[in-house]
Amino acid sequence: MIDITAIKRTPEGRAGEVAELLLPKGVLEGREWCVGSIQGEPGRSLKVCVSGAKAGVWTDFAAGGDGGDLIDLWCAVKQLQLPEALEEIRAWLGLEKPQFEKREKAYRRPAKPSCTAPKSAVKDYLTGARKLSERAIAAYRIGEQGRTIVFPSLVDSELRFVKYRPIDDKRKMRVEPDCEPVLFGWQVIDRNAREVTICEGEIDAPSLFDYGFPALSVPFGGGKGEKQRWIEAEYERLLRFETIYLALDNDPEGEAAVEEIVARLGRHRCRRVILPHKDANDCLTAGIPEAEIRRCFETAATMDPPELVRAGQFTDDVIRLFWPVEGQRVGYTLPYGKVRDRLLFRPGEFSIWTGPSGHGKSQILSHAGVEWGNQGAKVCIASLEMAPPQFLRRMVKQAGNVDRPTEPFIRKIMGWMDEWLWTFNLVGKTGVQPLLDVFEYARCRYGCDVFVIDSLMRLGIGSEDYQGQEQAVFTLVNWTVEKGVHIHLVAHSRKADTKTGGTAPETEDIKGASEIGSNAFNILGVWRNRKLEDQIKQLSEKADRGDGSAASELDNARNMPPVILNIAKQRNGDWEGKCGLWFDNATYKYRSSQDSRFGVKYVSLDNGVEDAA
């Protein structure tokens, strides 16, 4: 059934129609429907905005500025209280109550309890130990039956539920059986109120009343499930409240109750009140002042889904993207000048590296990994296609910028990489979850923020199992975003066109399910121009034999990049395009046209000892 928030929104789009319905003698002046007063006589003192951002807002200047929204106007003109006005508005809007086949449960009406107003032991307990005012005790119609407190729950002055609590042993609390489980304290709630407070105990409700917050108490305390079965009985009565403050106990049972209530009454209406002590009566007996309790209500948190965040909370993050703090990185870059300032691997993103087998994906990733370590990243590599000593050999050459480093130099480089590089020591196949379990440990214990998986085909998923591939990528992306790290996944491309020699892979060239590329933040295609390599080899052999024309052609061929890195997708970047790369066989490193040499030497001995053998 539609609650007051939906009823309030719906007529706002028909504000002119509602104004004319309620006040037919009015006239339209611009955006305002004007009449003399609530009585509806001609005039200009009462104005109803019928269009624009304030549609539905009205003010009666002749009555000292009274006003409100269209629901308030309906109440005022028809002299109805809020529940009755909402019923009329629902009917006018054509919002019928849902009809169910299930029969309503028959409840027993409890007999009027044999008790009196508190005047002896119960009064002493409530006013002394519990610090309740006599006004609050009377408002909630609390009774005394010997040394037992009687809590009657009334709805529209009719007794629906009774709870008995001995003051000497609250464990002997009992309720009238088979009665309708309703909230305690309805008689203190103004029928025109649009806000209400729900708490966890019958003594907490009058405690909040004494603080200036008339409250209702749940009948069965905290917890989930059956403990909150009162919601079924009270659901419709609570539809009239725009805001429901939940001041339940600050303990696990209270939180469980909040979770259940919010899920059923609506997150958009609920606010969680966190009190200075466990519950309202603890605050009252501890002498917490009213001003502090009022602050708790004013700062009550909305129960927004955790995924729903106001844009303003990201202000500092957006500023840092435009103006990074000096020395603080918002991601890692590649070591190639042409793309260094155009491509950023940010936290919480997922990149796919694709290309035909043997075209250098892993080698470029290895070179990039060394660069990321130099930039301050902590990297974890799962090279499921190559044993750690083999890919570390390649990284040593790239870090030292040398073909055959000496043993002392190898130890120096390995010591440097040991500070920022971890490996997943397995060659073969593994499942996504076992791999993420290890990554999770590396993230938590060592602070790893860059993860490399080489490759998708080694994650135990068949090449035709598109659903399995999709699920694997979803799992990896979700973990990446949740942990604020970056995963680089190698995924092979479809077979290249051998007739044309192929070209740099695009997004749709990734082998397998289309969701692989769809869910990536960045897609990088690597293509090796083997025809150019063969041409250079042939021209080089001719030039060695003294062929002058071959030497000239060789220079031209060598100016052509033998490797193309295609930035085919960059979801959060401003640039996509291709970058030509040249490869140095001695160091396994690459450079772009804007790099004068094959990168930097990341480590050196600096002691006069030769780096290379």
Side-chain angles (χ1 to χ4, degrees):
M1 190 170 177
I2 295 177
D3 64 40
I4 189 174
T5 57
I7 294 173
K8 180 179 177 180
R9 284 194 303 269
T10 305
E12 286 174 357
R14 303 166 63 180
E17 190 178 347
V18 175
E20 187 172 2
L21 171 72
L22 296 175
L23 303 164
K25 295 181 181 179
V27 294
L28 184 64
E29 295 184 355
R31 292 186 174 185
E32 295 178 328
W33 185 261
C34 303
V35 294
S37 70
I38 287 296
Q39 280 67 45
E41 74 279 7
R44 300 289 185 275
S45 296
L46 190 151
K47 300 178 185 294
V48 184
C49 183
V50 296
S51 63
K54 293 186 177 181
V57 175
W58 63 278
T59 304
D60 187 352
F61 295 98
D66 289 349
D69 58 21
L70 290 175
I71 297 176
D72 294 315
L73 185 64
W74 199 293
C75 292
V77 171
K78 297 205 169 192
Q79 296 185 338
L80 296 174
Q81 291 190 316
L82 182 61
E84 290 73 31
L86 290 176
E87 285 300 315
E88 280 199 9
I89 297 171
R90 284 193 186 97
W92 180 74
L93 292 171
L95 302 174
E96 299 291 335
K97 289 186 179 181
Q99 301 297 318
F100 297 101
E101 293 296 327
K102 182 180 177 182
R103 295 178 61 185
E104 293 291 330
K105 183 176 179 180
Y107 291 107
R108 183 180 69 83
R109 289 287 185 264
K112 183 178 179 181
S114 175
C115 63
T116 63
K119 55 186 178 181
S120 54
V122 168
K123 179 182 177 181
D124 293 342
Y125 173 76
L126 293 177
T127 58
R130 293 297 186 165
K131 306 294 184 186
L132 295 179
S133 69
E134 292 188 34
R135 176 172 170 267
I137 295 170
Y140 281 85
R141 302 187 185 180
I142 298 173
E144 177 180 279
Q145 190 181 82
R147 297 184 64 81
T148 296
I149 310 170
V150 181
F151 297 107
S153 294
L154 301 98
V155 176
D156 297 329
S157 301
E158 184 181 12
L159 186 64
R160 301 287 185 90
F161 188 84
V162 184
K163 181 181 287 189
Y164 300 87
R165 175 180 170 175
I167 61 176
D168 301 313
D169 189 354
K170 68 177 183 179
R171 293 174 299 178
K172 294 182 178 180
M173 184 185 303
R174 63 184 179 86
V175 300
E176 283 279 355
D178 303 321
C179 295
E180 184 180 14
V182 296
L183 295 167
F184 170 69
W186 274 111
Q187 68 275 8
V188 305
I189 306 300
D190 188 329
R191 283 178 60 81
N192 291 314
R194 296 209 199 175
E195 297 183 351
V196 72
T197 299
I198 296 177
C199 61
E200 192 173 320
E202 285 79 11
I203 292 180
D204 292 323
S207 299
L208 287 166
F209 180 89
D210 277 337
Y211 276 121
F213 296 93
L216 302 170
S217 172
V218 299
F220 305 117
K224 284 188 169 186
E226 278 295 297
K227 288 289 195 75
Q228 309 311 325
R229 64 182 182 273
W230 59 268
I231 296 176
E232 181 179 348
E234 296 285 22
Y235 185 79
E236 290 191 17
R237 274 189 288 273
L238 291 169
L239 288 174
R240 67 180 170 96
F241 297 105
E242 289 184 64
T243 304
I244 300 173
Y245 290 102
L246 301 178
L248 284 86
D249 291 3
N250 298 330
D251 61 15
E253 288 293 292
E255 291 303 323
V258 167
E259 185 178 333
E260 175 97 1
I261 295 168
V262 164
R264 296 177 64 182
L265 297 186
R267 288 183 176 275
H268 60 293
R269 296 195 292 158
C270 295
R271 305 286 186 273
R272 177 62 164 126
V273 179
I274 303 298
L275 298 171
H277 292 280
K278 176 175 173 288
D279 57 39
N281 190 251
D282 282 354
C283 294
L284 190 66
T285 56
I288 301 299
E290 180 182 331
E292 188 168 343
I293 300 300
R294 189 163 297 278
R295 278 194 296 271
C296 294
F297 276 81
E298 290 170 351
T299 59
T302 59
M303 303 302 294
D304 297 345
E307 298 84 2
L308 184 65
V309 182
R310 284 184 176 273
Q313 293 191 31
F314 298 107
T315 300
D316 291 341
D317 298 316
V318 173
I319 290 172
R320 282 193 292 270
L321 290 175
F322 280 99
W323 305 102
V325 177
E326 186 175 352
Q328 183 182 72
R329 289 190 174 275
V330 292
Y332 302 107
T333 59
L334 288 172
Y336 315 123
K338 187 172 180 179
V339 296
R340 185 177 294 116
D341 297 328
R342 295 177 168 183
L343 175 63
L344 188 65
F345 297 109
R346 303 169 181 84
E349 294 186 0
F350 177 79
S351 295
I352 294 286
W353 293 71
T354 190
S357 181
H359 279 232
K361 303 180 295 296
S362 301
Q363 208 150 253
I364 293 178
L365 255 176
S366 171
H367 187 192
V370 173
E371 173 67 20
W372 297 331
N374 190 56
Q375 292 178 14
K378 291 192 173 182
V379 183
C380 182
I381 297 179
S383 181
L384 304 172
E385 300 183 358
M386 184 181 292
Q390 291 295 331
F391 73 75
L392 287 171
R393 174 181 179 271
R394 181 169 58 196
M395 297 182 77
V396 165
K397 289 162 67 80
Q398 292 166 331
N401 204 36
V402 64
D403 182 15
R404 292 183 58 79
T406 61
E407 182 178 333
F409 194 27
I410 294 172
R411 293 188 180 279
K412 182 70 177 289
I413 296 170
M414 290 296 295
W416 174 67
M417 291 197 299
D418 191 59
E419 297 175 359
W420 56 265
L421 180 61
W422 284 260
T423 69
F424 185 81
N425 188 17
L426 184 146
V427 177
K429 291 185 177 181
T430 184
V432 173
Q433 196 54 55
L435 180 63
L436 285 182
D437 289 343
V438 176
F439 280 3
E440 176 77 11
Y441 184 89
R443 171 63 177 161
C444 293
R445 179 161 186 177
Y446 299 112
C448 290
D449 56 353
V450 174
F451 297 84
V452 177
I453 304 172
D454 191 1
S455 64
L456 175 63
M457 64 180 291
R458 293 299 180 100
L459 294 181
I461 307 165
S463 59
E464 301 299 323
D465 183 4
Y466 291 169
Q467 185 174 357
Q469 294 167 12
E470 176 186 348
Q471 185 57 51
V473 170
F474 280 155
T475 302
L476 293 172
V477 170
N478 288 341
W479 186 81
T480 301
V481 173
E482 177 188 348
K483 303 302 177 182
V485 300
H486 199 110
I487 285 184
H488 297 267
L489 173 67
V490 175
H492 294 298
S493 65
R494 296 184 176 89
K495 187 176 292 186
D497 185 348
T498 55
K499 292 182 180 179
T500 62
T503 185
E506 299 289 346
T507 300
E508 62 272 13
D509 293 323
I510 300 172
K511 185 178 181 180
S514 61
E515 285 79 10
I516 297 173
S518 299
N519 287 282
F521 288 76
N522 310 299
I523 297 177
L524 299 93
V526 178
W527 178 69
R528 180 178 172 186
N529 191 341
R530 293 188 183 275
K531 291 181 68 175
L532 178 61
E533 290 177 356
D534 292 341
Q535 182 185 3
I536 291 173
K537 182 179 180 181
Q538 293 169 7
L539 291 172
S540 181
E541 290 173 353
K542 289 181 181 180
D544 289 344
R545 293 195 297 267
D547 188 331
S549 61
S552 177
E553 289 183 49
L554 179 61
D555 287 341
N556 290 333
R558 283 175 172 167
N559 285 329
M560 298 286 291
V563 176
I564 301 296
L565 177 64
N566 181 25
I567 315 303
K569 177 180 179 181
Q570 188 181 180
R571 183 179 295 170
N572 292 328
D574 299 323
W575 180 82
E576 293 174 358
K578 295 180 174 65
C579 170
L581 296 177
W582 286 261
F583 176 66
D584 179 37
N585 194 61
T587 62
Y588 288 2
K589 294 172 78 172
Y590 295 80
R591 70 170 180 85
S592 70
S593 59
Q594 294 185 9
D595 303 310
S596 59
R597 54 198 177 94
F598 286 96
V600 299
K601 177 185 283 190
Y602 295 95
V603 185
S604 61
L605 286 173
D606 294 330
N607 58 4
V609 180
E610 292 294 328
D611 291 345

